[in-house]
């Protein structure tokens, strides 16, 4: 063996024990428990939305457009007279009616919507009664307003965290151990849809020819919150 090779081998043998001593000690595993709880609070559907529309046909497209626009303008003027109701234009569409088994246009049909929104159900109901002469009712839906939903959500979060703590204590006590919370996550992004009025009832209302205001029952929406997390047993 050459002197240089002997020196390298000897150096490696001496260095190995020192390198092994610098390795981090193994971290003992800590027993953990994953927990999940859910809470809910009822939020009043204090926001009502309605879609009203006018739909008509005419062989003359220009005459049809003018007639529908005049009706929409009357509806906007009537709606703006109710300060408790917000109104804005909705979808508008026009399509041709063809002669049967032909590409020849026989007439035109047009539909235009108005969108109404209010936290005053009595005011919205009264306005719908006034509009029934010119407009058909497409849909009424109910939902919590932003403020009402946030309040119910905040209360549900407090309930969820209290329930998480209670379940953590229950699990730890059952094992005769103490615990600490490693982390907790709050999920408030639950899917949510406004509650619509049944189509049959809306159809009856749209067919009314007088100005009797329709009655509305808003009800409530359940706001759900889920708390998930992990505790460490000590």
């Amino acid at each position: 063996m050459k002197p240089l090779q002997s020196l390298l081998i000897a150096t490696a043998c001496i260095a190995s024990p020192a390198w092994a001593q610098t390795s981090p000690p193994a971290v003992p595993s800590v027993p953990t428990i994953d927990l999940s709880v859910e809470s809910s609070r009822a939020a009043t559907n204090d926001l009502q939305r309605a879609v009203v529309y006018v739909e008509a046909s005419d062989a003359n497209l220009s005459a049809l457009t003018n007639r529908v626009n005049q009706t929409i303008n009357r509806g906007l003027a009537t709606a703006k007279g109710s300060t408790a109701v917000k109104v804005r234009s909705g979808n508008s569409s026009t399509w041709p009616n063809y002669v049967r088994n032909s590409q020849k246009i026989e007439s035109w049909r047009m539909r235009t919507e108005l969108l109404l929104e209010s936290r005053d159900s009595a005011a919205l109901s009264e306005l719908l009664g006034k509009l029934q002469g010119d407009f058909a009712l497409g849909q009424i839906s109910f939902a919590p307003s932003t403020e009402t939903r946030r309040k119910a959500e905040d209360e549900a979060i407090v309930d969820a965290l209290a329930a998480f703590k209670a379940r953590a204590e229950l699990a730890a006590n059952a094992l005769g151990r103490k615990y600490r919370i490693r982390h907790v996550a709050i999920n408030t992004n639950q899917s949510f849809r406004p509650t619509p009025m049944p189509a049959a009832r809306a159809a009856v209302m749209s067919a009314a020819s007088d100005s009797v205001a329709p009655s509305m029952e808003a009800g409530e929406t359940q706001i759900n919150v889920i708390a998930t997390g992990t505790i460490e047993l000590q």
Side-chain angles (χ1 to χ4, degrees):
M1 181 179 295
K2 296 182 180 179
L4 179 57
Q5 292 177 330
S6 300
L7 178 61
L8 290 175
I9 294 173
T11 303
C13 292
I14 295 173
S16 294
W19 172 85
Q21 292 176 1
T22 60
S23 299
V27 178
S29 60
V30 178
T32 62
I33 299 178
D34 295 328
L35 298 173
S36 177
V37 296
E38 182 176 356
S39 66
S40 63
R41 283 292 183 111
T44 302
N45 292 330
D46 56 350
L47 184 66
Q48 295 84 41
R49 299 186 178 98
V51 178
V52 296
Y53 66 92
V54 56
E55 187 171 334
S57 297
D58 199 299
N60 187 306
L61 179 58
S62 178
L64 173 63
T65 302
N66 289 335
R67 179 150 54 97
V68 170
N69 287 343
Q70 288 175 3
T71 304
I72 289 296
N73 290 338
R74 285 198 306 271
L76 285 171
T78 301
K80 289 179 180 179
S82 178
T83 57
V85 180
K86 295 180 180 178
V87 59
R88 61 186 176 89
S89 299
N91 295 327
S92 182
S93 56
T94 304
W95 63 95
N97 294 321
Y98 294 96
V99 176
R100 187 175 182 179
N101 299 325
S102 172
Q103 292 298 315
K104 181 181 179 181
I105 296 176
E106 182 180 41
S107 63
W108 295 87
R109 193 160 188 84
M110 185 174 183
R111 171 180 167 136
T112 303
E113 299 174 341
L114 289 181
L115 309 181
L116 310 175
E117 181 179 279
S118 180
R119 296 183 63 171
D120 187 338
S121 59
L124 179 59
S125 179
E126 181 181 1
L127 177 58
L128 289 175
K130 294 178 180 179
L131 293 174
Q132 281 179 162
D134 289 327
F135 290 84
L137 178 61
Q139 184 187 48
I140 295 180
S141 60
F142 309 91
S145 63
T146 301
E147 297 81 3
T148 300
R149 180 178 176 82
R150 184 180 295 116
K151 181 177 184 295
E153 193 173 79
D154 289 346
E155 294 172 350
I157 288 174
V158 173
D159 292 344
L161 291 176
F164 184 90
K165 181 180 178 182
R167 184 159 293 184
E169 292 177 352
L170 177 67
N173 291 337
L175 296 173
R177 307 285 288 271
K178 294 183 178 180
Y179 76 95
R180 76 178 186 89
I181 296 176
R182 175 181 288 183
H183 73 84
V184 180
I186 298 293
N187 181 10
T188 59
N189 297 323
Q190 303 300 307
S191 60
F192 167 73
R193 292 183 179 179
T195 303
M197 173 177 287
R201 184 176 175 188
V204 171
M205 292 169 56
S206 66
S209 59
D210 53 26
S211 60
V212 176
S215 60
M216 293 183 287
E217 299 175 2
E220 295 178 332
T221 294
Q222 291 296 317
I223 306 299
N224 299 320
V225 170
I226 297 176
T228 58
T230 302
I231 63 171
E232 294 180 356
L233 300 178
Q234 300 177 339

